[in-house]
Amino acid sequence: MALGLKCFRMVHPTFRNYLAALTRPVSEVTLKTVSERQHDHRQYTGFSAVSIRHFATKKAKAKGKGQSQARVNINTALVEDIINLDEVDEEMKSVTEVLKDNFNKTLNIRTSPGSLDHIAVVTADGKLALNQISQISMKSPQLILVNMASFPECTAAAIKAIRESGMNLNPELEGTLIRVPIPKVTREHREMLVKLAKQHTNKAKDSLRKVRTNAMNKLKKSKDKTSEDTIRLIEKQISQMADDTVAELDRHLAVKTKELLG
């Protein structure tokens, strides 16, 4: 033991410090010694070979979870023999268009003749928009006039359609002229329209889920002849498209809600 200690003292200072560093805590990374000789001064610097592993803090992990994952952008032409992503995209966009159309046709605060334009009237020729078989005008902020002179035979059907439009209207008939009094828009009525808007949006999301499910089912049929990596990328692309559409539906709902509540 004594011989070992004597040999250790005879080892070069730099190497001796390096050996000592191996027994120190990992946090002590950099070691520096200065050895001065009698006729010249030299610096010897030793670095520990022990590596440090950095662990993420809870705060850093939480921050990482909030970051969005990398988006996929597949060239649809490269996978068209597996699935037509352009077709899937069009089907998802059509869901949004149907929702917008429903909002415009059925959810209005009855302040203009245009709010009655798209009420569907059952005629001998099928369902027609009210503005196709009548002339609609606003006599005052509280009264809309629907002139059925061009299609008098559709007058009764037009009155029925207006009453059943869900707009809380009670039309009155004078010959071929339909008078539509506009009731005062209450807060309760506005909130009821917002609930209807949410129902329309939920139905749109149901339709969107069907589009996504159908696309995934088509993709499954190609699993035997397509690599797993390619399948996963396409699945991620479809899910990404669906998520984008949901965000678009929610955006239209928010805009309509603000409009209805005033």
Side-chain angles (χ1 to χ4, degrees), residues 24 28 74 84 106 183 188 210 229-230 243 245:
R24 294 183 183 180
E28 297 181 19
I74 298 176
N84 191 333
T106 63
E188 290 75 15
K210 290 179 182 178
D229 288 343
T230 301
D243 291 343
T245 305

Side-chain angles (χ1 to χ4, degrees), residues 20-232:
L22 295 179
T23 62
R24 294 183 183 180
V26 175
S27 59
E28 297 181 19
V29 183
T30 305
L31 303 173
K32 183 177 181 180
T33 60
V34 178
S35 176
E36 296 184 5
R37 293 188 177 181
Q38 185 173 3
H39 297 294
D40 84 322
H41 302 275
R42 295 183 183 178
Q43 291 183 342
Y44 299 92
T45 305
F47 295 94
S48 170
V50 181
S51 60
I52 296 178
R53 183 177 178 182
H54 298 279
F55 294 92
T57 62
K58 289 184 179 180
K59 185 176 181 180
K61 288 181 180 178
K63 184 178 180 181
K65 287 182 180 179
Q67 295 175 348
S68 59
Q69 297 181 353
R71 291 177 63 84
V72 177
N73 189 15
I74 298 176
N75 186 335
T76 57
L78 297 178
V79 296
E80 61 183 3
D81 58 330
I82 303 173
I83 189 171
N84 191 333
L85 288 178
D86 288 333
E87 186 178 284
V88 175
D89 185 51
E90 286 301 318
E91 290 178 2
M92 290 185 177
K93 286 180 178 178
S94 69
V95 171
T96 303
E97 292 304 315
V98 169
L99 179 69
K100 290 166 60 178
D101 193 46
N102 286 336
F103 280 176
N104 293 331
K105 289 181 179 179
T106 63
L107 300 176
N108 293 292
I109 303 294
R110 304 186 307 266
T111 55
S112 69
S115 60
L116 304 183
D117 282 354
H118 300 289
I119 291 179
V121 181
V122 179
T123 71
D125 298 321
K127 285 187 177 181
L128 297 174
L130 183 60
N131 65 348
Q132 290 182 291
I133 58 175
S134 68
Q135 292 180 338
I136 305 174
S137 60
M138 179 164 271
K139 186 174 182 179
S140 72
Q142 286 76 41
L143 182 63
I144 293 178
L145 300 178
V146 181
N147 192 333
M148 299 295 299
S150 300
F151 295 88
E153 68 278 11
C154 298
T155 302
I159 290 177
K160 181 181 180 183
I162 293 171
R163 282 195 179 126
E164 296 177 354
S165 65
M167 299 174 68
N168 193 29
L169 299 174
N170 188 25
E172 304 166 354
L173 181 61
E174 289 183 4
T176 57
L177 185 67
I178 302 174
R179 298 166 60 88
V180 185
I182 304 300
K184 182 180 179 180
V185 181
T186 63
R187 183 71 181 179
E188 290 75 15
H189 180 68
R190 289 177 181 273
E191 291 175 351
M192 183 269 291
L193 291 177
V194 170
K195 288 182 180 179
L196 289 176
K198 290 179 179 178
Q199 290 176 10
H200 282 303
T201 304
N202 288 334
K203 287 181 180 178
K205 289 180 179 180
D206 288 339
S207 298
L208 178 63
R209 277 190 286 271
K210 290 179 182 178
V211 174
R212 181 185 181 278
T213 300
N214 290 338
M216 291 297 190
N217 288 338
K218 288 180 182 178
L219 191 58
K220 287 179 182 178
K221 296 178 181 179
S222 301
K223 284 193 173 182
D224 293 337
K225 56 183 179 180
T226 308
S227 70
E228 292 184 5
D229 288 343
T230 301
I231 292 294
R232 279 196 295 269

